[in-house]
Amino acid sequence: DQQVKQNSPSLSVQEGRISILNCDYTNSMFDYFLWYKKYPAEGPTFLISISSIKDKNEDGRFTVFLNKSAKHLSLHIVPSQPGDSAVYFCAASAGNYGQNFVFGPGTRLSVLP
Amino acid sequence: NAGVTQTPKFRVLKTGQSMTLLCAQDMNHEYMYWYRQDPGMGLRLIHYSVGEGTTAKGEVPDGYNVSRLKKQNFLLGLESAAPSQTSVYFCASSYGRGDTEAFFGQGTRLTVV
C-alpha cells in the first residue's frame, strides 16, 4: 500500500499559468516533505522542502503548502515555464524518527508554450 | 564538482548473469542509497548505508547486495539477474537522513533479457 500518493500521473498547463501538483500521504508520523524534479535521462534534483512545523514554504516561483489535518501537500509553480516540464516526485519521511524518505509515483508536468 | 557519479549508464544482461553498479560521491556524505525506478512506482529504496562499513535493507532488497567499504563509494550487486530487475537504478547521497535532501546520480538503465 503506497504511503505517498500522487494521483495525477500527468498534468498539462499553459505557459504563464499556475501549475498545481498534489500529493497525499497516509502515515501521520511523516514530518518532513520534499519535492524533486526529474528530467529525462537525468537523476532527480531537489526542488523545495517543508517540515511539519510549517504550512507554507516559498522559493521563487515555487511554493509548497502543507495541510497536516488532511495529510495533503501541494506544489504551486507560478508562473509556469516550458523549462518546468518534467516529472515531479513528492517524498515524505518521519525524519524525527530517523526514517528514510518514501517517494510518490510522480506527476509528469507539461508546460505548453 | 562531480557530485554523485554512477557507472555504467547503460547495461544489458542475460538472465543469470551478475554485475556490479558503482556509485561515488565527493561531498563527504555519510548516507548513501540505492533506488530503482519503475513506471508508476516512483523511486523505491533497495539498500542504504548510514556510514562507511554499514549497510541496511530498504523496501525492495531481494536479489541485490551492497557494500560500502569506503565512505565515498556504494556498490550495488546483482548476483543472478532476472528480467524483473529490468529498471533504472539511481544512487543518492545525503548529509542527513530523513530531514535533508539527497543528491542523485544520473542513473543506470539496466535491461535483463
Side-chain angles (χ1 to χ4, degrees), chain A residues 18-59:
Chain A
I18 184 172
S19 296
I20 300 176
L21 294 90
N22 294 305
C23 177
D24 296 288
Y25 60 95
T26 58
N27 189 339
S28 58
M29 291 174 60
F30 286 156
D31 54 15
Y32 203 76
F33 306 87
L34 304 176
W35 284 93
Y36 287 88
K37 179 167 73 173
K38 184 185 178 306
Y39 293 119
E42 294 184 10
T45 55
F46 168 72
L47 191 57
I48 193 168
S49 65
I50 190 167
S51 72
S52 59
I53 62 172
K54 293 185 174 182
D55 54 16
K56 175 182 175 181
N57 190 26
E58 195 170 354
D59 184 0

Side-chain angles (χ1 to χ4, degrees), chain A residues 2 31-32 34 36 38 41-46 49 87 89 93-96 98-106, chain B residues 31 33 35 37-38 40-45 48 57-59 88 90 97-107:
Chain A
Q2 284 188 336
D31 54 15
Y32 203 76
L34 304 176
Y36 287 88
K38 184 185 178 306
E42 294 184 10
T45 55
F46 168 72
S49 65
V87 176
F89 291 101
S93 77
N96 285 332
Q99 299 297 306
N100 294 311
F101 279 98
V102 179
F103 284 77
Chain B
Y31 300 89
Y33 314 85
Y35 293 91
Q37 183 195 6
D38 301 291
M41 303 292 288
L43 293 159
R44 292 184 293 168
L45 184 63
Y48 65 100
K57 294 180 180 180
E59 182 185 355
V88 180
F90 290 100
R97 188 170 170 185
D99 59 357
T100 55
E101 69 273 19
F103 295 79
F104 284 81
Q106 77 277 26

Side-chain angles (χ1 to χ4, degrees), chain B residues 42-103:
Chain B
L43 293 159
R44 292 184 293 168
L45 184 63
I46 304 171
H47 285 280
Y48 65 100
S49 169
V50 301
E52 180 180 317
T54 75
T55 62
K57 294 180 180 180
E59 182 185 355
V60 287
D62 294 342
Y64 306 95
N65 57 77
V66 287
S67 65
R68 189 142 177 229
L69 300 179
K70 292 183 178 180
K71 185 177 184 177
Q72 64 268 33
N73 297 333
F74 196 29
L75 279 58
L76 178 70
L78 287 73
E79 290 185 346
S80 179
S84 61
Q85 294 177 304
T86 294
S87 188
V88 180
Y89 291 85
F90 290 100
C91 175
S93 71
S94 64
Y95 177 74
R97 188 170 170 185
D99 59 357
T100 55
E101 69 273 19
F103 295 79

